[in-house]
Amino acid sequence: MKNSIAERVCDFLKTYPPFDLITFEKLLEIAEQTVIVYLEKGDTLFKADQPANEYFYMVRAGAISLFHTENNTKELVTINDTGDIFGLRPLIARENYKLTATANEETIIYALPIKNFQSATKTNDKVYKYLITAFATNAYDSYTTEENNEIFKDYLPSTHLDVVNFQTANYTKTPVTCPVQSTLQEAASLMCQHKIGCIIVVDDTKKPVGIITNSDIKNKIATGKFPITTLVTNIMNSPVITAKKDLTVADGQLKMIKNSIGHLCITKDGTINSRLVGVLTHHDVLVTLGNTPSVILKEIKRAKRTKKLRIARLKANTLLKSYLEQNIPLTHIINVISEINDAVTIQAIEIALKKMPTPPPVAFSWLALGSQGRREQLLFTDQDNALIFDDVPEDQYEATQAYFLQLAKYVTKSLNKIGFEYCEADMMANNPEWCKSISEWKTQFQSWILSPDNKAILLSSIFLDYSNIYGDESLVDSLSETIFEALENSALFYKFLGSEAIKSPSPLGIFKQFVVEQNGEQKDLFNIKSRGLMPLIDAARLLVLSNQIKNVNNTYERFEKMAEIDANNKELYESCSYAFKALSKFKTKQGLLHHNSGKFIKLETLSKEEKLKLKRCFKPIHDIQETLKLRFDLKNFI
Amino acid sequence: MNFNWFRKEKTDYPDFYLAYLEGFKKKPKSNIEETRFVAFDTETTGFDRKEDRVLSIGAVSFVGKSIPVSNSFELYIHQDIFKSETVKIHGIRKNSGYKKVTEMEAIQAFLDYIKNSVLIAHHAGFDKNMINEMLRRNGLGKLKNKFIDTGVLFKKSKHKIYEDTLQKHYSLDDLCKELNVLKVDRHTASGDALITAMIFLKILARLDKQKHLKWGYLLHG
């Protein structure tokens, strides 16, 4: 029987990854078994610790929040919008759900049958690769890794859309083996001799029958459960998981994740009934993938010359692109990229210090300002930086400043070479105005805060988003203290900041149309930075400053912090945080697409879904601006 | 109500119709969450009950809030009556490629599908009449199912104070707009059936769970 509804489901699916990689006929097999589910706001689709459903899910309209619950605290991991897939755990591993999925608003989702999906895609590597990535993203990145601050965990190498994933895995072709008759002691000696962490037990015909790893020796021998004279067959893990020679990296990785193991035995015909020809370890997979944050980071730390730094930073751009293509949560992307940017800056300073004839005369701190200071810089942008040095006697001031200006000159030059353009407004540490002693800096900020004018606001909005990248952190802390003291006495300053935050009104006009630029070169383009991001950035800054919150620099983290301390407006702050992330992602994607900053968006190039997504972000902007107007009494303040 | 002498002898009916009637002897589910609903729509040659004919029937069924695509219903009926002016609405041409069945086959398939479920349609009266007329032409009795009309239900669901702002008549397109339902495949029977189902679920979600989620409130005359 003709099923038009299934065809329409296909039409929708195929516009989103990974379904764009599946043929229409195969897709139809999936669509025919799909269930369309309607959810009211607050309805729960699945709960953490519940056994897996036979479906995974895609948002058709509306939004689904994924929560992680620990010790009774609910933490938002991510919000899935139209076209996003989630609930992927049962596709990869037979485990209970780890997250809870709840409708954030009235939502329609497609429940896609895992069985049909698997049979339709079993030979499609690309689809699997996408899924492990999407899964790994929601499963680990969002909370586990960020919470523990271990964002460079290497178990996430699949998060790269590089060709390497389709390369045949480069396995060890001369695996170390021992016969079934060996004692554990003999096996362990072999492992020592070859400096390896695992050994394969083979029978007389060289078929793999088991595997022994370091942890088996630790768990079964060192604990005294078995003597070292025991036969290897007593403690080996059996049977082994096998694979064929032409295994791709993505496949190998999937197999490892599925079976939670670190080694695959490569055999002649891919089953345990044929001769062992090699071993693929998790380490091999990582080496093949190469382009992981930790590899890039190591490369940066080892770089002795600016040129090497430039190469490493460019790799990060490839990484960024693949992250975005795979819909990895922006919080994770931002963390990775800012960590890399910081590392690049640190290394550039180290290199510059070596060029100086003497070590620094006094302690100093290198500050990143603006977007890097907020740790939200994704693409190459202008460099904004400043330098604080410790107080020196007056007669030495000039010489000291000269030393640091020279240092800053080296650093900014090398950052420029790496790809960070010089700041047009010259807000850089090699400008004597922004390379000053701590006392001078304190005076500077006090003057901005206590007698604000428009220029002061413009400058302070950049300088207030500072973070210490290199050097003596206590200098920065003492500066912060002075700033917050000054802030206590300046309601006027807040009003100035507030009027800055509400300067660009909600980006939607009265006809629910996007407000586009009226004239100039950018006529008819939508400025996502000034209309979307800046109001949120400005609002977040004002809110944390007026609440005396220190050391929270990310705009989205600032809103999250506000949500914590001001429970009445929790929802508003959370939606602001979400809007900021979504808009940043938009801007970055556009930037990568057009090789620019992504600031201006040609509306007609957006799909309807994208426009909807954009519009969704504008409501919180409007709401937060209204809140600021009331809170800081901005109605009559010009 | 003993008007039995007006009724045809049941034995005249084909087996499938008897089976359909049999289904109504079971006590219906009182619980709305457990009730099977069928939202359906017909595409016709026009609006005259006697003269016009049903060209296609589309339907989806659901229990709770999940609509399985695999269990959707879609068929095209061979008719001798053909009006070119309505082709532009439903897009079903006289010799279009779809596999077409006879009225009797369509009735059998449809009744097998709906069973004793509660039927939902937008301006249900029209679709109900068209189907009933088709049943009559083929020597069968009327539909026995309970009906819900989304057009009527929407108006009822609005609070009294908004009464004056209500339109007299809400088209399916109007309701899509009011309730923010995506219009996909509008003017195919199964596409409209799915839209009707969505509209019903959305109205249901907006109703006061204590007061209004009762059969007396939902059902249409």
Side-chain angles (χ1 to χ4, degrees), chain B residues 16-26 36-38 59 61 71 73 107-119 142-147:
Chain B
F16 75 84
Y17 191 74
L18 292 174
Y20 168 71
L21 292 177
E22 196 65 26
F24 290 89
K25 290 188 179 156
K26 278 181 249 160
R36 180 175 186 259
F37 290 96
V38 170
S61 72
N71 202 6
F73 181 89
I107 290 168
Q108 177 168 0
F110 187 61
L111 295 185
D112 277 353
Y113 179 76
I114 61 172
K115 300 194 174 69
N116 62 352
S117 308
V118 175
L119 300 183
K142 289 181 177 178
L143 288 173
K144 300 276 182 280
N145 304 64
K146 299 257 189 298
F147 264 86

Side-chain angles (χ1 to χ4, degrees), chain A residues 23-237:
Chain A
T23 62
F24 199 83
E25 291 72 44
K26 296 259 185 200
L27 213 47
L28 201 56
E29 289 172 24
I30 301 167
E32 275 167 355
Q33 300 303 321
T34 294
V35 178
I36 304 168
V37 184
Y38 167 79
L39 297 170
E40 285 173 54
K41 182 177 180 174
D43 277 359
T44 295
L45 188 62
F46 57 76
K47 271 193 177 143
D49 299 325
Q50 249 176 19
N53 294 341
E54 281 164 29
Y55 298 92
F56 68 103
Y57 304 95
M58 185 176 201
V59 180
R60 175 66 185 90
I64 296 281
S65 306
L66 293 181
F67 292 100
H68 175 236
T69 330
E70 203 162 27
N71 308 327
N72 289 325
T73 51
K74 233 167 95 180
E75 193 178 334
L76 183 67
V77 173
T78 185
I79 298 180
N80 291 302
D81 261 318
T82 304
D84 291 342
I85 51 173
F86 64 99
L88 300 171
R89 187 166 289 272
L91 262 177
I92 313 281
R94 287 268 144 230
E95 291 175 342
N96 292 352
Y97 288 111
K98 293 246 158 76
L99 301 175
T100 301
T102 304
N104 202 40
E105 55 192 77
E106 190 173 55
T107 300
I108 293 164
I109 56 163
Y110 287 159
L112 306 162
I114 289 172
K115 207 177 78 195
N116 300 74
F117 179 81
Q118 280 172 337
S119 75
T121 58
K122 56 178 169 245
T123 55
N124 199 331
D125 288 335
K126 286 191 193 171
V127 171
Y128 266 100
K129 195 176 63 60
Y130 179 84
L131 287 175
I132 350 177
T133 309
F135 166 71
T137 304
N138 278 343
Y140 302 109
D141 293 21
S142 299
Y143 57 96
T144 329
T145 50
E146 283 175 14
E147 255 182 11
N148 304 337
N149 250 337
E150 292 173 40
I151 46 177
F152 296 111
K153 273 258 166 92
D154 267 335
Y155 53 63
L156 284 174
S158 61
T159 49
H160 313 280
L161 196 73
D162 284 337
V163 257
V164 285
N165 269 315
F166 304 108
Q167 282 176 10
T168 311
N170 202 355
Y171 57 88
T172 311
K173 295 194 177 61
T174 48
V176 178
T177 61
C178 66
V180 282
Q181 305 85 351
S182 328
T183 64
L184 187 270
Q185 192 175 17
E186 285 163 349
S189 309
L190 269 174
M191 288 165 74
C192 284
Q193 199 185 320
H194 290 93
K195 298 196 177 84
I196 47 164
C198 87
I199 191 163
I200 313 288
V201 182
V202 293
D203 66 9
D204 303 342
T205 55
K206 294 278 174 203
K207 286 181 214 151
V209 293
I211 182 169
I212 296 171
T213 64
N214 278 343
S215 61
D216 293 320
I217 298 176
K218 180 186 75 192
N219 296 336
K220 296 170 190 169
I221 306 295
T223 54
K225 276 188 195 153
F226 292 91
I228 55 169
T229 50
T230 191
L231 285 178
V232 284
T233 43
N234 289 334
I235 67 157
M236 69 185 183
N237 298 293

Side-chain angles (χ1 to χ4, degrees), chain A residues 490-509:
Chain A
S490 182
L492 186 62
F493 182 70
Y494 291 141
K495 286 202 177 193
F496 267 102
L497 283 185
S499 63
E500 187 70 16
I502 61 168
K503 197 176 61 185
S504 301
S506 168
L508 284 185

Side-chain angles (χ1 to χ4, degrees), chain A residues 1-6 8-9 31-40 43 60-61 106 108, chain B residues 60 65-70 72-74 76 98 182 184-185 190 194 198 201-202 205-206 209:
Chain A
M1 191 164 77
K2 185 173 155 62
N3 192 335
S4 308
I5 294 177
R8 296 299 85 79
V9 171
E32 275 167 355
Q33 300 303 321
T34 294
V35 178
I36 304 168
V37 184
Y38 167 79
L39 297 170
E40 285 173 54
D43 277 359
R60 175 66 185 90
E106 190 173 55
I108 293 164
Chain B
V60 295
K65 294 173 180 175
S66 298
I67 308 173
V69 175
S70 60
S72 55
F73 181 89
E74 178 171 1
Y76 300 86
Y98 314 132
L182 294 158
V184 180
D185 231 11
S190 56
L194 181 61
M198 285 299 166
L201 286 172
K202 288 201 172 195
R206 282 161 174 71
K209 305 241 148 69

Side-chain angles (χ1 to χ4, degrees), chain A residues 7 225 345 439 621 635:
Chain A
E7 286 168 24
K225 276 188 195 153
T345 314
S439 303
I621 297 179
K635 273 260 157 65

